[in-house]
Amino acid sequence: MPSSNSMEGLELSELPIKVGIIGTGCIGKEHVRNICLMPDVARVVALVDSCEASMKSCTELLPSFQDVATFTNVESMIDWVNEGKDMADHDGRLKAQCEAVVIATPNYTHFSIIREVLFKSSLHILVEKPLCTNVQDCKQVEKWIREDRVKHPRRVVWVGMEYKYIPSVSRLLQEVEKGSVGRVKMVSIREHRFPFLTKVGYWNRFNELSGGTLVEKCCHFFDLMRQIVKSDPVTRWHAVKRRQVLTWVCEGENHCLWRTGRRVQVRSVLSQWADGGQRRRNPAAGILASGGCGRQLRQDVLHEAGYH
């Protein structure tokens, strides 16, 4: 997702793409700002949010709010899209009043919104990470998308992992690709940040709503590791909590899940990858723990890998 040929049907004559933003919180606003920087490529035509304050602050970012439809739920927006499917523009061509949506709602709502958009419209979809909060839902969405290819072969469904497009990260990937750093032997990523952004209802502070730290935040770093080493994880993820080691079976690139109801203090995260290498993520700021067990785990992994 998206498929390699998924953009073949998009021609310059069809620009700008008409985009609906589902979720007008801080991430939704970021998408609105970016779209407004590219008026010849895309423009916002619809906003969806049940929070009046979020909707109001988001509309203030738009240069011409009069041309934007607003809705309090996804069902109403899709009804509006479908009602306008048969409307022709001034030169007689059929042209949808919305062609794509960005899903920037809380993680736990992604599954139901994707289902609504896939089953009831032909809209392209950019869903913010994570795709879903658990493996079962991710697999179900993948199944829906495969089945949808028969009816909508050119529909694009894309999970938004945008860190790789940050200029500094993009430059890093370019330099690695050129061989400027030599052959990559290990990748370790450290981020310094405060623990939680302020969200409506503080949903991001609960594992059952966010999917947990490994899903909500560390998925960015797992994606960057994949980009850097050109390899996928195939066996296990490990996280250290004081003197207890917790293990997850990794079943795919977006299926790395936190399997505890409590907030876990992570010292390091390690994984075995398809090319036989190890990657380590060392988070900071709010998810640090005592180092004794972390050091032991790293020693054990290095020993198993043949580094004595």
Side-chain angles (χ1 to χ4, degrees):
M1 298 181 296
S3 62
S4 58
N5 63 349
S6 58
M7 299 300 287
E8 288 181 356
L10 189 62
E11 300 176 0
L12 290 177
S13 61
E14 298 173 342
L15 299 178
I17 300 171
K18 298 176 181 179
V19 181
I21 307 294
I22 303 176
T24 57
C26 62
I27 303 301
K29 290 184 180 70
E30 189 68 19
H31 283 285
V32 169
R33 292 188 188 97
N34 290 332
I35 290 172
C36 288
L37 294 173
M38 305 179 293
D40 295 332
V41 176
R43 68 183 181 91
V44 176
V45 297
L47 298 174
V48 183
D49 205 304
S50 59
C51 177
E52 185 177 347
S54 294
M55 179 74 82
K56 182 178 183 300
S57 61
C58 191
T59 58
E60 294 172 354
L61 301 174
L62 295 167
S64 178
F65 175 60
Q66 291 78 6
D67 298 329
V68 178
T70 59
F71 306 92
T72 58
N73 58 73
V74 177
E75 293 83 357
S76 297
M77 189 209 71
I78 292 178
D79 288 342
W80 169 76
V81 171
N82 290 335
E83 286 171 3
K85 280 197 303 186
D86 297 328
M87 295 176 59
D89 61 13
H90 65 279
D91 61 1
R93 292 183 303 169
L94 295 178
K95 196 168 185 179
Q97 51 192 0
C98 184
E99 299 159 294
V101 291
V102 175
I103 300 175
T105 55
N107 299 356
Y108 65 94
T109 67
H110 290 181
F111 181 78
S112 60
I113 293 175
I114 292 170
R115 178 177 56 198
E116 191 77 13
V117 176
L118 277 175
F119 288 1
K120 297 183 180 180
S121 79
S122 59
L123 294 164
H124 301 295
I125 301 171
L126 169 61
V127 55
E128 268 293 336
K129 62 81 194 167
L131 176 62
C132 300
T133 58
N134 61 73
V135 173
Q136 181 179 354
D137 286 353
C138 287
K139 289 185 173 181
Q140 182 61 61
V141 169
E142 290 177 340
K143 181 175 182 290
W144 289 339
I145 293 170
R146 287 194 299 270
E147 294 171 347
D148 180 69
R149 293 296 182 206
V150 177
K151 185 177 181 181
H152 301 110
R154 291 184 173 178
R155 190 205 298 259
V156 176
V157 182
W158 191 8
V159 180
M161 303 290 292
E162 294 96 351
Y163 268 37
K164 53 182 164 285
Y165 303 117
I166 296 173
S168 56
V169 176
S170 179
R171 175 66 184 278
L172 170 65
L173 295 175
Q174 292 173 16
E175 295 300 327
V176 172
E177 182 74 18
K178 290 193 301 184
S180 301
V181 298
R183 182 182 176 187
V184 177
K185 297 291 187 179
M186 186 187 79
V187 178
S188 178
I189 298 177
R190 179 184 295 270
E191 181 181 48
H192 300 275
R193 61 171 293 173
F194 50 89
F196 295 106
L197 294 173
T198 300
K199 304 281 189 177
V200 173
Y202 302 102
W203 63 265
N204 57 327
R205 305 191 181 202
F206 301 93
N207 285 354
E208 63 269 23
L209 302 181
S210 70
T213 302
L214 290 181
V215 172
E216 160 62 13
K217 184 59 192 173
C218 297
C219 61
H220 280 302
F221 303 103
F222 295 137
D223 181 56
L224 291 183
M225 290 173 177
R226 293 178 60 249
Q227 300 295 323
I228 292 170
V229 302
K230 309 296 185 191
S231 181
D232 290 325
V234 293
T235 54
R236 294 180 181 271
W237 299 96
H238 302 275
V240 179
K241 175 183 179 292
R242 296 178 183 173
R243 297 186 179 280
Q244 178 184 4
V245 176
L246 304 174
T247 303
W248 301 262
V249 175
C250 183
E251 302 181 58
E253 61 187 81
N254 292 319
H255 303 156
C256 308
L257 305 180
W258 203 252
R259 299 193 186 280
T260 175
R262 297 172 297 174
R263 185 181 173 202
V264 176
Q265 302 293 314
V266 178
R267 172 65 180 181
S268 62
V269 180
L270 300 102
S271 59
Q272 189 77 29
W273 293 59
D275 64 355
Q278 287 78 39
R279 324 284 177 251
R280 184 173 74 238
R281 145 105 168 111
N282 289 326
I287 49 174
L288 289 176
S290 57
C293 186
R295 285 193 296 270
Q296 182 61 48
L297 177 62
R298 289 195 296 274
Q299 291 170 3
D300 292 344
V301 170
L302 290 173
H303 179 78
E304 292 174 5
Y307 298 100
H308 305 294

